[in-house]
Amino acid sequence: MVGATVLRDHYHHSEQLMWWLMISGVTVFLVAQITNVQYWLTRKGRFGDIARNRVFQYTAVASCQLVAGLIMHGGLSAIIIGTITGQLLTLVFLERRVPELHEPRDPEAPTMREMMRRYWKMPLLNGPNVFVDSIRNNGINLFIGAASVAALGQFQLAWSTMQVPVSLISGSVSQVFLKKLSDAEPGTMAPLVRAVLWRAFLAAIVPFALLYLLAPWLFPLVFGPTWDDAGYYARALTPWLFMNVLTSPISNIFVVTEQQSRLLAFAVVYCAVPLTWLWLSPLPIMQTVYVLGMLMAVMLVVMLCMALLTARRYDRTGGRDDVR
């Protein structure tokens, strides 16, 4: 109850928002469970089931939000109830596809305690990594919004639109590559990483080159003349997001080789660089974002080099346990 009061006072004395924030853990739990099962499907190479589940999830959430909105005549509660209901249906749909996860545990399988001891780095290092990424993403929005609320709107439209090709390309590549990376024997990882980088480069270079050239013309054409700046923000973000396509699949290499500490160290720098630039930049906001896009692209080049060095060291030392 004390927490509810603090939330109510902080969020404009909204009783409705207060209680929804208090039970936000429900949707976090559902998303976590869905993600866990999807990782199982990825590990088993069942990419068709993953694709079908994602289609079902998007459809279920949107449909439930629509139904809840019609019944409740719109509002925040309708959106949240529709989202939670859609996520719950998705989890039920997904669980029915993995009956093997509900069978009795193999007596020879490791216990939960043994798994916790073996993979203690996962929550200890991956958790802070996600937290740092959240600070970076929200911090960038806060700095741009502080400079201009209108610029933030234009930037967000460009960002969300440019995420579509990033998700389409890197999402499909990452799923297949994670399984191959997990099964890679020492001596085969570095060639595998180079092959995936080359394929991701070939898949992304043409669409991102076209976006860089045409974005200032496409955005006002598609979204209206008031969104002309979004096209220039999209052009500014193109180098960063192009490199994001290349790095997204191979970022799992630090997890597979149990070198999350390196990824966390990079994440801290990757967070500090853009926020420091946005804080100290003497340039107008548009030019600032152009420099930001180039800075982040250079940072991701550094990450590529780190990944290749990690793969070579894994190949040379002969396995995860020997990599330090």
Side-chain angles (χ1 to χ4, degrees):
M1 195 64 188
V2 174
T5 304
V6 172
L7 290 172
R8 181 195 62 198
D9 295 341
H10 183 71
Y11 289 100
H12 310 289
H13 302 280
S14 172
E15 296 283 343
Q16 183 186 37
L17 181 58
M18 173 189 74
W19 291 112
W20 282 123
L21 287 172
M22 290 292 290
I23 65 170
S24 59
V26 174
T27 187
V28 173
F29 170 79
L30 292 172
V31 171
Q33 291 299 103
I34 292 169
T35 303
N36 287 337
V37 179
Q38 285 182 337
Y39 272 119
W40 169 263
L41 294 174
T42 298
R43 190 68 181 86
K44 294 299 180 180
R46 294 166 57 179
F47 304 113
D49 286 335
I50 295 174
R52 282 187 287 271
N53 178 71
R54 288 187 172 175
V55 171
F56 182 87
Q57 181 175 359
Y58 295 144
T59 304
V61 171
S63 300
C64 290
Q65 287 178 339
L66 178 61
V67 171
L70 292 173
I71 294 174
M72 304 176 68
H73 306 290
L76 176 64
S77 296
I79 294 174
I80 297 176
I81 290 174
T83 300
I84 293 176
T85 304
Q87 291 170 342
L88 181 60
L89 291 174
T90 301
L91 181 59
V92 172
F93 174 80
L94 193 56
E95 289 285 352
R96 295 183 63 182
R97 291 184 172 272
V98 287
E100 66 273 18
L101 293 181
H102 306 288
E103 296 174 355
R105 187 177 66 87
D106 187 341
E108 297 182 359
T111 65
M112 183 66 72
R113 184 182 296 273
E114 290 171 340
M115 294 294 288
M116 290 174 63
R117 289 176 179 174
R118 175 67 179 84
Y119 297 104
W120 61 271
K121 287 185 179 181
M122 293 287 184
L124 187 65
L125 297 176
N126 289 0
N129 200 333
V130 174
F131 179 71
V132 171
D133 285 346
S134 178
I135 292 176
R136 184 192 71 242
N137 292 331
N138 290 290
I140 289 174
N141 289 334
L142 288 173
F143 274 113
I144 294 177
S148 170
V149 175
L152 178 59
Q154 300 276 348
F155 176 86
Q156 275 298 312
L157 177 63
W159 179 266
S160 59
T161 303
M162 293 291 285
Q163 285 298 316
V164 175
V166 172
S167 300
L168 287 174
I169 300 173
S170 64
S172 57
V173 174
S174 296
Q175 289 176 2
V176 178
F177 184 55
L178 177 58
K179 175 173 172 51
K180 291 184 177 181
L181 198 61
S182 301
D183 296 333
E185 296 292 334
T188 65
M189 184 172 287
L192 178 60
V193 170
R194 288 194 294 268
V196 169
L197 284 176
W198 179 243
R199 291 174 184 175
F201 175 84
L202 292 178
I205 186 64
V206 172
F208 276 91
L210 290 175
L211 284 170
Y212 185 84
L213 293 172
L214 301 177
W217 173 75
L218 283 176
F219 272 76
L221 177 67
V222 175
F223 299 105
T226 58
W227 296 101
D228 56 339
D229 280 351
Y232 290 98
Y233 281 116
R235 171 178 283 180
L237 293 171
T238 299
W240 178 9
L241 296 179
F242 171 74
M243 290 303 304
N244 209 354
V245 171
L246 302 188
T247 56
S248 291
I250 68 164
S251 61
N252 290 316
I253 194 173
F254 300 101
V255 178
V256 171
T257 59
E258 299 181 35
Q259 294 298 305
Q260 296 97 321
S261 57
R262 297 181 184 181
L263 188 60
L264 178 58
F266 175 81
V268 172
V269 179
Y270 192 60
C271 174
V273 167
L275 298 187
T276 301
W277 167 246
L278 289 172
W279 180 32
L280 299 177
S281 173
L283 302 175
I285 188 62
M286 181 67 75
Q287 286 82 350
T288 295
V289 174
Y290 268 94
V291 176
L292 175 68
M294 294 304 301
L295 280 174
M296 301 306 279
V298 171
M299 291 291 296
L300 291 178
V301 171
V302 173
M303 183 182 176
L304 284 181
C305 295
M306 289 175 55
L308 286 170
L309 290 174
T310 300
R312 290 174 181 173
R313 192 166 189 179
Y314 175 89
D315 288 341
R316 187 176 65 252
T317 56
R320 301 178 184 84
D321 295 338
D322 299 325
V323 180
R324 295 290 183 267

